[in-house]
Amino acid sequence: TGFFAVFSLLYMVSPRTAHRVVGYLEEEAVTSYTHFIGEIDAGRIENVKAPEIAVAYWNLDPESTLRDVVLAVRADEALHRDTNHHFSDRIRAKRESLFEDMDTDGNKPHIKY
C-alpha cells in the first residue's frame, strides 16, 4: 500500500522520525479510544457484552463488556505510543542498542540503572 511504501522510505531515511510519527499516531488512537469510552459512559453507545474473541485475546473476564475491551485496547495503544517515543529518544541519544543497558550475571541479564 501507499502508507507502507512511504513509511518504509521514511524509516530508511530517518528511523528516529519514523518512530516519532508512529508515537504521534498512537497518541491519536489513545485520544480516540478515550472519546469512545466517554460515549459508552454517556450511554450513546451500548455497552454490550464483549465478543469472545476479544475476551480471549485480551485475557479479559468472561463477563467483560465493550467498555472493558476498549480500555484494554487503549492501554495497548498507550504502550505502543510510549515505546515508539522511547525508541526515538534512544536514537537521538545514540543509544539504539538495548544491549548497552544490560549486564550479564550468569545467564540472567540485568538492566543497568
Side-chain angles (χ1 to χ4, degrees):
T1 66
F3 175 81
F4 181 74
V6 171
F7 184 77
S8 296
L9 180 62
L10 175 61
Y11 200 90
M12 287 186 278
V13 172
S14 177
R16 185 183 93 189
T17 301
H19 280 293
R20 192 66 72 197
V21 166
V22 171
Y24 291 137
L25 290 173
E26 298 290 356
E27 180 61 34
E28 285 301 311
V30 169
T31 300
S32 296
Y33 286 117
T34 299
H35 290 302
F36 192 0
I37 292 165
E39 293 296 302
I40 294 169
D41 291 346
R44 289 186 286 271
I45 295 175
E46 187 179 356
N47 192 20
V48 298
K49 184 172 173 25
E52 289 181 30
I53 192 167
V55 170
Y57 183 82
W58 296 105
N59 196 26
L60 299 172
D61 184 278
E63 299 304 313
S64 293
T65 63
L66 175 61
R67 187 178 195 282
D68 299 316
V69 174
V70 177
L71 285 169
V73 173
R74 183 180 68 173
D76 190 54
E77 298 295 344
L79 178 62
H80 296 163
R81 172 202 61 204
D82 295 345
T83 299
N84 277 280
H85 284 309
H86 174 75
F87 285 151
S88 182
D89 292 343
R90 288 187 68 91
I91 292 168
R92 182 173 183 220
K94 303 208 183 308
R95 295 184 60 223
E96 296 176 52
S97 174
L98 298 175
F99 293 107
E100 294 172 2
D101 294 344
M102 300 171 77
D103 281 337
T104 53
D105 180 20
N107 294 326
K108 296 177 86 176
H110 298 281
I111 296 175
K112 287 194 247 180
Y113 293 99

